[in-house]
Amino acid sequence: MNTHPAPPTRAVTTLLVANRGEIARRITRTCRQLGITAVAVYTPGEERAPHVTDADAAVCLPVPEGRGAVDAYLDPQALVAAARTAGADALHPGYGFLSESAAFASAVIDAGLTWVGPPPGAIEEMGAKTRAKELAREAGVPVSEALAADRVGAGDLPVLVKASAGGGGRGMRVVHDLERLPEEAEAASAEAASAFGDPAVFCEPYVERGRHVEVQVLADTHGTVWAVGERDCSVQRRHQKVVEEAPAPGIGPELREDLHGAARRMAERIGYVGAGTAEFLVPVDGQGRPGVPVFLEMNTRLQVEHPVTECVTGLDLVEWQIRVAEGEHLPEGGPPAPSGHAVEARLYAEDPRNDWRPRTGTLHAFEVPAATCAFTPLTTPGVRLDSGVAAGDTVGTDFDPMLAKVVAVGRDRRDALRRLGAALAGARVHGVGTNRDLLVRVLRHPAMAEGAPHTGFLSGARLTDLARPPADRTAEDLSALAASLSAAETARRDTPVPAGITANWRNLTSQAHTRRHTTDDGHELTTAYRTSRGTYLPEQEAVQVLSAAPGHVVLQAQGVRRAFEVHTHPGSDRVYVESVLGPLTLAPVDPLPSPEAFVDPGAMPAPMPGTVTSVDVAVGEKVTEGQTLLRMEAMKMEHRVTAPAAGAVREIPVAEGQKVAAGTPLAVLDHEGQD
């Protein structure tokens, strides 16, 4: 074990947050409450990012020549230099980036700074997940086997390829076919290297039905180790956690104590200090009954989902990270018992209708009206918002696509689920596509009401179904009518009308006014209405217009009165309609569209902005359907561009390392049978 000595205990006065986005803002909030000066770091172009403007001071990180912005946050020496420049006496790594780097922790300590995290030795022991499994076994904790990719046989399938460092679903692939293992392992390794600076991967048995349960650990420098409750993180999409909650539902007292005891033994075994998380997989049978848990890994950092633990215990975990780093004892008597229930949902900028690829663009609006607090423990029923973005921000491809975490606290689990579903349904997120519809449908799904689903819940046809917008056809028709009437009223307000001509006048009174919109999934909606003496008369059956104004329309349908808020933004070609029926994004159809430019039928455009990381084929090469042509990196995730059909490569107009915009031609194919 690395026994790197800790620096003398001292009070923290100025803390550098070696991170960005939501977690940097979270740490800054606690610093402000403790009276500690918070220093942010940023890269060129992030000068106005929320985590920078929230902080008391900020230092710009240099971007290594020929590299991307993310590499600046992976440079230990640059971060230590930034701390010295700002006069900081402590450094908090947050999560992701270098938060689980023993070398970085040692560099911070060697620079005479207080490291707000576990000792480098503990990070090193747990940082390699294969070594962590060995230590768990020595501590009497059941573990899942770890295999090198080249040691996997047909009898071991299916397996999960997993990054040795980091988390968040990056560097993870499920493999059912042995022939695909080398390719998937290579892709996972590249993704891990990009996200965490470590390309090492390994394999472990993949459990189709299981629950992902983790225990929050908090330990001081005096030998006290707490197991601060557990969280269920089983609702995952492609191994990326989507919904987390505390306490874990359906975990009986005996299993709970087994999990807590195992987590404490692991922490004690490696001399752990600070906040960390022991993660377990609990197999479940067809009736959802839990089996014997196995240890997966220990994360030597703060977890993304830590707010749910804070909200049921009242502990500020960031505050305790700092207090422990200052040498303070944990209180006698153990951790607070959980009270109530908390559920967290991660809001991502991604496109459910395009293989969940990251979405970029300008956030014209970002608001969760139901939120009652931000970044601090919420111990009474309500909604907490921890966001890394604000209205007007640009969502790019350099960093993680998570926009925010929305947390609901309820008297019980049902109360928390209902509050969170309503808060997300009522959120205003304009400008980029998100997974909001998926979150709302999951939170309101009967399986969630019955208890936590297993880790395979969000897969196959169910995932596609749950990603649909919550608005049904009736809601779509009414929302489109509201958008049409709002546009008419806006035109009426903004367009001068000659004297003597009434509003909404037209020279062909026998025909109704019509407007067309399309939904995000390409469904077209046509609305029609007539006007009489300034009154709108929709042609939809049993629908009345009670009032109409720019941005606000009130309709009565089948005897029920509902209000619709209609939002448009300069520079955007979308209309955002919000009501209790569900939010809907619409695109007006131009009645006189411009001629479309010719598009080569064999062209393969870039699905998003990003960087070409490899070109896997050559000009003239014959390819098969589904074969990988090249790979791109966007938001620290690898994305493959594959051949839609068999053919030959006619042209490769891009090169490895080239940054491309969405729609840039990446390859041109001559498909078999193509004239």
Side-chain angles (χ1 to χ4, degrees):
M1 180 185 298
N2 183 350
T3 56
H4 197 292
T9 299
R10 61 188 177 197
V12 173
T13 61
T14 302
L15 183 144
L16 182 124
V17 184
N19 218 295
R20 66 179 303 283
E22 168 267 328
I23 187 57
R25 301 184 76 191
R26 165 73 188 88
I27 297 165
T28 294
R29 173 63 65 90
T30 290
C31 285
R32 181 158 291 116
Q33 292 172 336
L34 295 178
I36 295 171
T37 299
V39 180
V41 290
Y42 64 95
T43 57
E46 293 187 284
E47 291 82 0
R48 297 184 180 180
H51 80 276
V52 176
T53 57
D54 280 1
D56 300 299
V59 178
C60 185
L61 297 174
V63 176
E65 186 176 354
R67 307 297 295 275
V70 67
D71 295 292
Y73 289 92
L74 293 172
D75 186 339
Q77 297 309 316
L79 292 165
V80 170
R84 286 175 168 155
T85 298
D89 49 29
L91 184 148
H92 194 306
Y95 56 69
F97 293 133
L98 295 175
S99 61
E100 294 181 277
S101 168
F104 181 43
S106 295
V108 171
I109 294 171
D110 290 342
L113 305 173
T114 295
W115 167 254
V116 183
I123 297 175
E124 189 172 8
E125 294 278 48
M126 292 293 103
K129 293 181 173 64
T130 51
R131 172 59 178 156
K133 291 175 184 287
E134 294 174 5
L135 291 172
R137 190 179 291 108
E138 293 173 7
V141 179
V143 300
S144 61
E145 294 300 321
L147 299 170
D150 59 0
R151 300 289 299 276
V152 175
D156 299 314
L157 299 174
V159 294
L160 178 65
V161 182
K162 199 170 186 179
S164 290
R170 291 174 183 81
M172 298 178 75
R173 299 287 194 282
V174 176
V175 179
H176 294 270
D177 184 347
L178 201 58
E179 291 184 358
R180 291 189 58 84
L181 181 57
E183 181 182 3
E184 296 292 356
E186 180 186 353
S189 177
E191 201 167 88
S194 173
F196 316 117
D198 184 350
V201 297
F202 66 98
C203 298
E204 66 183 20
Y206 178 64
V207 178
E208 300 280 358
R209 296 179 63 89
R211 287 181 58 187
H212 188 127
V213 181
E214 59 189 33
V215 178
Q216 176 68 60
V217 171
L218 189 61
D220 64 21
T221 57
H222 309 283
T224 301
V225 178
W226 282 359
V228 192
E230 78 290 333
R231 301 181 285 257
D232 190 290
C233 309
S234 301
V235 181
Q236 303 176 6
R237 187 190 63 76
R238 295 179 182 171
H239 320 296
Q240 186 177 63
K241 298 169 186 175
V242 175
V243 175
E244 304 104 342
E245 56 183 308
I251 300 295
E254 184 176 347
L255 178 55
R256 176 171 284 110
E257 184 49 43
D258 286 347
L259 293 169
H260 289 195
R264 284 193 296 266
R265 292 197 302 275
M266 285 292 297
E268 291 166 353
R269 170 67 177 77
I270 61 174
Y272 199 80
V273 174
T277 304
E279 301 199 355
F280 301 87
L281 183 65
V282 182
V284 294
D285 61 19
Q287 284 70 49
R289 292 186 294 259
V292 177
V294 294
F295 172 78
L296 292 176
E297 63 190 54
M298 186 168 183
N299 292 294
T300 54
R301 55 174 168 83
L302 198 66
Q303 291 280 89
V304 176
E305 58 272 19
H306 76 274
V308 293
T309 296
E310 293 185 324
C311 291
V312 297
T313 63
L315 295 172
D316 183 326
L317 292 176
V318 175
E319 177 181 342
W320 273 107
Q321 284 185 293
I322 296 172
R323 291 168 69 171
V324 163
E326 292 177 320
E328 189 169 332
H329 288 262
L330 289 172
E332 295 182 2
S339 176
H341 202 89
V343 185
E344 172 183 294
R346 303 189 190 188
L347 188 65
Y348 287 99
E350 55 190 6
D351 187 354
R353 283 157 289 277
N354 190 19
D355 196 31
W356 299 91
R357 287 175 171 139
R359 292 289 293 268
T360 60
T362 300
L363 269 177
H364 299 297
F366 185 82
E367 182 182 4
V368 182
T372 53
C373 76
F375 301 111
T376 56
L378 175 66
T379 55
T380 57
V383 176
R384 164 177 166 174
L385 175 65
D386 288 16
S387 67
V389 296
D393 286 352
T394 298
V395 179
T397 60
D398 287 329
F399 301 106
D400 187 279
M402 189 175 76
L403 302 176
K405 304 177 310 196
V406 186
V407 187
V409 177
R411 296 179 297 277
D412 53 30
R413 186 169 183 270
R414 183 178 68 173
D415 184 27
L417 288 171
R418 181 170 57 193
R419 289 176 185 271
L420 185 54
L424 287 164
R428 298 189 185 101
V429 187
H430 303 165
V432 297
T434 71
N435 65 334
R436 188 257 300 273
D437 296 340
L438 172 69
L439 297 175
V440 172
R441 284 189 177 275
V442 166
L443 293 166
R444 293 174 174 174
H445 195 278
M448 282 295 288
E450 295 168 4
H454 58 79
T455 52
F457 178 70
L458 289 183
S459 60
R462 181 187 287 119
L463 175 61
T464 302
D465 181 65
L466 290 176
R468 291 183 297 108
D472 59 18
R473 183 57 187 270
T474 298
E476 287 183 347
D477 288 340
L478 292 175
S479 296
L481 175 60
S484 297
L485 297 180
S486 174
E489 285 296 304
T490 300
R492 175 181 179 178
R493 180 195 63 191
D494 298 341
T495 304
V497 179
I501 298 180
T502 60
N504 296 306
W505 175 89
R506 66 184 304 162
N507 62 355
L508 189 60
T509 58
S510 62
Q511 297 296 312
H513 298 261
T514 60
R515 291 179 185 265
R516 293 184 297 150
H517 296 85
T518 57
T519 62
D520 276 348
D521 59 3
H523 178 59
E524 186 169 297
L525 304 170
T526 300
T527 57
Y529 60 86
R530 300 174 187 273
T531 56
S532 176
R533 298 179 182 179
T535 301
Y536 292 105
L537 303 173
E539 296 200 340
Q540 292 167 244
E541 185 177 355
V543 176
Q544 294 177 277
V545 180
L546 302 185
S547 68
H552 186 81
V553 176
V554 180
L555 303 176
Q556 182 168 295
Q558 303 297 333
V560 180
R561 179 186 184 278
R562 295 185 178 91
F564 295 80
E565 297 294 330
V566 183
H567 303 271
T568 58
H569 302 280
S572 172
D573 60 352
R574 294 292 188 269
V575 179
Y576 303 89
V577 185
E578 287 150 357
S579 73
V580 295
L581 296 175
L584 191 66
T585 302
L586 299 171
V589 176
D590 190 342
L592 298 172
S594 301
E596 295 185 1
F598 171 76
V599 177
D600 191 316
M604 303 292 298
M608 72 203 81
T611 301
V612 177
T613 56
S614 73
V615 177
D616 297 85
V617 295
V619 173
E621 182 176 338
K622 297 285 188 179
V623 297
T624 59
E625 181 179 350
Q627 182 176 337
T628 300
L629 304 177
L630 50 82
R631 306 165 201 246
M632 292 179 59
E633 179 190 309
M635 293 183 176
K636 297 193 288 184
M637 300 287 281
E638 183 187 73
H639 306 273
R640 300 180 190 178
V641 177
T642 60
V649 180
R650 187 203 314 165
E651 184 181 356
I652 301 287
V654 295
E656 183 176 329
Q658 182 176 336
K659 290 184 177 293
V660 296
T664 300
L666 301 176
V668 182
L669 303 182
D670 289 322
H671 300 305
E672 290 183 358
Q674 179 179 316
D675 293 333

